[in-house]
Amino acid sequence: MHYPQGRVIGGLGMPLLEWLDRNALPEEVRLADPDYARAVAQEFTRSLLQNGTTTALVFGSHFAPAVDTLFAEAERSGLRAVAGLVVSDRLLRPELHTTPSGPMKKAGP
């Protein structure tokens, strides 16, 4: 399951890389907003439980607070979840570049 992609499922009709660039990655960037991440986590866990899923292996987010929110919502709802922080340091939008200790520092003067 992809927590960051819950709201863009079904938005295909284009090649995968174009879909990622136009739909999935902008949605992922929105998870930097704690209120948005909370709403998505609530929808995500509710949808899984309503469809009979009690345990899920979840592709997390590039934003640690969003992952924490997912775990909190899973615990609150009774969903068992295995997830973690996604770390990417290239080939994505710069807003998604991270290290295990947090966002990457911008190079410059």
Side-chain angles (χ1 to χ4, degrees):
M1 304 298 303
H2 285 244
Y3 162 52
Q5 296 177 7
R7 289 185 170 181
V8 295
I9 291 174
L12 294 173
M14 61 191 80
L16 176 62
L17 294 179
E18 183 180 349
W19 178 80
L20 287 168
D21 189 51
R22 290 178 56 190
N23 295 23
L25 298 178
E27 177 66 11
E28 167 87 20
V29 171
R30 291 182 190 101
L31 292 178
D33 175 343
D35 292 330
Y36 191 82
R38 186 175 309 101
V40 172
Q42 289 169 347
E43 291 170 14
F44 184 81
T45 56
R46 183 173 46 248
S47 177
L48 289 174
L49 291 167
Q50 286 175 343
N51 287 287
T53 300
T54 59
T55 306
L57 176 58
V58 180
F59 184 94
S61 170
H62 287 82
F63 304 102
V67 175
D68 292 342
T69 298
L70 173 63
F71 280 126
E73 190 57 32
E75 182 176 18
R76 187 199 66 72
S77 68
L79 176 73
R80 290 175 294 204
V82 177
L85 181 66
V86 177
V87 177
S88 300
D89 63 359
R90 64 186 73 116
L91 302 177
L92 289 180
R93 301 166 70 110
E95 308 95 315
L96 297 175
H97 290 178
T98 55
T99 68
S101 58
M104 291 183 66
K105 305 290 186 240
K106 294 185 182 190

